Amino acid sequence: LRGAGAVDDDLLDSVEEVLILADIGVEATTRIMDAVRTDVRRKKIKSPGELREILKNHIAELLGRFNVRLQVGEARPHVIMVVGVNGVGKTTTIAKLAHRFKEEGKSVVLAAADTFRAGAIEQLTIWATRVGAEIVKHQAGADPAAVAYDALRAAKARNADVLIIDTAGRLHTKVNLMEELKKIRRVISRELDGAPHETLLVLDATTGQNALSQAKTFHQATEITGVVLTKLDGTAKGGIIISIVNLLNLPIKLIGIGERLHDLRDFRTDLFAEALFG
Amino acid sequence: TLTDRLDGVFRRLTRRGKLTEDNIQEALREVRMALLEADVNYKVVKEFISRVREQAVGEAVMKSLSPSQQVIKVVHDELVRLMGERATDVVRAKKPPTVVLLVGLQGSGKTTTAGKLALLYRETKRCSPLLVAADIYRPAAVDQLVTIGKQIKVPVFEKGTQHDPVDIAREGVSFGRDRGFDPVIVDTAGRLHIDSDLMEELRRIRTAVSPHEILLVADAMTGQDAVNMASQFNEELDLTGVILTKMDGDARGGAALSIREVTAKPIKFVGMGEKLEPLEPFHPERMASRILG
Ligand SMILES: Nc1nc2c(ncn2[C@@H]2O[C@H](COP(=O)(O)OP(=O)(O)OP(=O)(O)O)[C@@H](O)[C@H]2O)c(=O)[nH]1
Ligand SMILES: Nc1nc2c(ncn2[C@@H]2O[C@H](COP(=O)(O)OP(=O)(O)OP(=O)(O)O)[C@@H](O)[C@H]2O)c(=O)[nH]1
Ligand SMILES: [Mg+2]
Ligand SMILES: [Mg+2]
């Protein structure tokens, strides 16, 4: 698309290939390619450079032209619940978020509500120390809702600005685990009106089409207010978010680009569209 | 389902009896879409479809199968053939200990799988596994493996987080050899295939401990990127096999075909849950049906 070649069927085929390889998915790719082919005919697009602009525009269109930032409202504490399937980067993202809030001068409490996985509480404890956040935890095997409840009580008592609740990874297909998530949510909403103010779904950029069903199911179970797309420092493009934004109306708020505390960025549609075409 | 879509195709096309170039074309378009939706890699799908087209054209439709069933049979059989053999057994070194190295991207399930693999060895071979904690980077990674070891009553060799992972791996294997443990399973830190320093670390670990098994632990829900990471890990380390994790989810698992195609290495086991239970053997026919949806 940077060359001086012709805008012919071969080029359009390789564009389709790039979209599929980016995990955009068959349906969304077909829609984008139909719109692009119409534009190419109507506007008589001659150069690959122009085609590139058309593509980026269509993608930006599907992603919603505005960027939705992570906001912290008036509530004290502002409660953020973090959910997602196993291994996507929830705990690490929470550490990065806590770090960001601390840099902004906010006080942060973390809830170690993953009481199931080996080493989960220890992992979050180390991060809490590194970022200077308080952590509320129980013993392994404790009721996650009880931990979340205690953390909220503690955050209120200390007048903390932000409470972030770490939950165990869970496959969206496990009904009992999705029920557990609903229970955590119920317990904290009873303790603080409006809580959780933010429920972030963490998705791994290396995941393929399954990310869409993850988003659908988690959204049904626990009203997602934003998505974090992690591991974009790899070679995967995370194109599935185009369908997630377009079909489910969920905003992508943040991206993870590494394993360190400062490896968190606001999602930007223009940069995302740019990265798709290398 | 794919069957419904193919039925629709063959209803529209009037020629019955033989599978011809024409009606095959449309049917294979549906198959191609199904495979892409299942996360099979674009290029792998392209080659797969052209191979299947050759096999399907001219095939007389069997009396007992509808044209769609016939196409599915050709596709399914070719998928099964590509998936490789059903897993036979765990690898045992002639001269113990068997050294197993687990590698892969961040969060794919290596540490959990190390525990499951230890259980599989112990239950099928009645041997004494040793786990080695060579991830010094992820916070509490060592604690995680130590906790897993306690839960399944398998000893864990660890040296905290202040030693070079290569030394930890080497000393862990020596320790295992001296005390008669077999296998010695080395858990490593998750890493990107494009991180040259960390890939070099894996090569150094490999040189230091001469593994009998180098297993890529890959997430069943991986998308198109599966070929990039699998081919890179394979080129750098010459894998002996692959373990697919999180197969208890509803991901179609097309990554299995992509990884198999691009590495030519066997998929040996699958992880079917978070609990510490033995790994299950890989079933090529079940994987083929799952991918086709
Ligand atoms: N390269 C890269 N690795 C990441 C990123 N985010 C998280 N990771 C790594 O992914 C792995 C899993 O991260 P966790 O934070 O433990 O993931 P999780 O979702 O909390 O996992 P579970 O609680 O087990 O479900 C770790 O090795 C992290 O360092 C990212 O943006 N880029
Ligand atoms: N449902 C399910 N979860 C799994 C499976 N295997 C591992 N997990 C979960 O996936 C998450 C990540 O597992 P880990 O073993 O920490 O992954 P890892 O590859 O060691 O992660 P890093 O060391 O950070 O690269 C944990 O929540 C595990 O419980 C599986 O087969 N099914
Ligand atoms: Mg976690
Ligand atoms: Mg690990």
Side-chain angles (χ1 to χ4, degrees), chain A residues 218-231:
Chain A
F218 272 94
H219 190 36
Q220 279 167 1
T222 168
E223 197 198 320
I224 302 296
T225 58
V227 171
V228 181
L229 186 63
T230 62
K231 307 181 197 172

Side-chain angles (χ1 to χ4, degrees), chain A residues 17 20-21 23 26 86 116-118 123 126 171-174 206-210 214 231 233 235-236 259, chain B residues 33 36-37 39 42-43 106 138-140 144 192-194 221-225 246 248-251 274:
Chain A
E17 179 172 347
I20 296 281
L21 287 177
D23 283 316
V26 173
N86 310 72
F116 169 76
R117 207 208 67 214
Q123 183 185 10
I126 291 174
L171 293 183
H172 51 297
T173 47
K174 312 234 160 147
T206 67
T207 302
Q209 300 306 299
N210 195 251
Q214 289 174 25
K231 307 181 197 172
D233 46 319
T235 49
E259 303 187 69
Chain B
M33 284 212 286
L36 289 176
E37 285 163 0
D39 290 324
Y42 187 92
K43 298 187 182 88
Q106 291 90 345
R138 170 172 154 156
Q144 184 184 5
L192 295 178
H193 49 295
I194 52 172
M221 57 185 97
T222 308
Q224 296 287 313
D225 197 52
K246 307 178 202 173
D248 46 319
D250 62 354
E274 295 187 70

Side-chain angles (χ1 to χ4, degrees), chain B:
Chain B
T1 67
L2 180 59
T3 311
D4 297 334
R5 284 150 73 166
L6 291 179
D7 281 345
V9 167
F10 286 107
R11 256 201 304 282
R12 286 195 297 279
L13 302 171
T14 50
R15 270 257 235 58
R16 301 197 148 228
K18 252 187 191 302
L19 292 176
T20 67
E21 286 275 358
D22 287 339
N23 58 31
I24 265 291
Q25 188 76 344
E26 186 115 350
L28 289 184
R29 214 184 327 260
E30 291 294 333
V31 174
R32 175 177 175 271
M33 284 212 286
L35 293 177
L36 289 176
E37 285 163 0
D39 290 324
V40 181
N41 182 267
Y42 187 92
K43 298 187 182 88
V44 172
V45 171
K46 215 171 186 178
E47 293 175 19
F48 178 84
I49 293 292
S50 62
R51 266 205 308 278
V52 163
R53 174 177 293 116
E54 285 177 31
Q55 291 173 23
V57 172
E59 283 236 356
V61 176
M62 297 174 189
K63 286 274 182 305
S64 56
L65 298 179
S66 70
S68 353
Q69 286 171 330
Q70 182 68 352
V71 170
I72 291 198
K73 178 162 182 356
V74 173
V75 170
H76 184 269
D77 290 352
E78 178 63 7
L79 269 181
V80 172
R81 192 187 69 79
L82 290 174
M83 282 300 167
E85 301 293 310
R86 169 178 309 203
T88 42
D89 216 356
V90 287
V91 154
R92 293 297 294 284
K94 290 208 180 65
K95 190 162 172 293
T98 310
V99 179
V100 181
L101 187 62
L102 298 182
V103 304
L105 294 178
Q106 291 90 345
S108 63
K110 297 173 293 301
T111 305
T112 310
T113 298
K116 294 180 183 180
L117 189 60
L119 284 176
L120 181 62
Y121 267 93
R122 188 168 67 196
E123 299 199 1
T124 58
K125 299 293 174 207
R126 297 167 152 269
C127 50
S128 284
L130 173 73
L131 292 166
V132 177
D135 177 358
I136 62 167
Y137 309 108
R138 170 172 154 156
V142 174
D143 297 281
Q144 184 184 5
L145 193 64
V146 167
T147 300
I148 287 173
K150 287 204 186 92
Q151 286 170 351
I152 58 176
K153 302 202 176 39
V154 171
V156 177
F157 179 92
E158 56 97 353
K159 285 175 71 79
T161 61
Q162 302 302 316
H163 292 261
D164 184 343
V166 181
D167 294 332
I168 298 175
R170 185 185 304 111
E171 291 179 38
V173 172
S174 303
F175 180 91
R177 180 175 299 116
D178 295 344
R179 318 276 164 122
F181 285 106
D182 182 25
V184 176
I185 299 169
V186 181
D187 180 27
T188 65
R191 67 203 63 215
L192 295 178
H193 49 295
I194 52 172
D195 185 327
S196 45
D197 290 339
L198 285 184
M199 292 307 284
E200 148 105 50
E201 176 187 276
L202 276 186
R203 288 201 303 277
R204 289 194 298 121
I205 292 177
R206 179 185 182 208
T207 305
V209 305
S210 305
H212 303 90
E213 276 270 53
I214 304 181
L215 300 171
L216 174 67
V217 177
D219 196 323
M221 57 185 97
T222 308
Q224 296 287 313
D225 197 52
V227 293
N228 297 332
M229 70 95 178
S231 60
Q232 195 67 26
F233 272 96
N234 193 36
E235 271 171 44
E236 305 252 1
L237 302 169
D238 192 12
L239 306 167
T240 59
V242 179
I243 298 177
L244 270 190
T245 61
K246 307 178 202 173
M247 283 281 285
D248 46 319
D250 62 354
R252 297 259 293 272
L257 179 59
S258 308
I259 292 173
R260 170 82 183 142
E261 274 291 273
V262 84
T263 63
K265 298 295 162 67
I267 299 175
K268 298 199 168 195
F269 309 111
V270 296
M272 289 294 285
E274 295 187 70
K275 298 216 175 69
L276 292 169
E277 290 164 343
L279 284 175
E280 298 189 15
F282 174 71
H283 290 279
E285 330 79 23
R286 285 187 211 167
M287 194 75 222
S289 305
R290 178 177 178 143
I291 289 177
L292 283 181

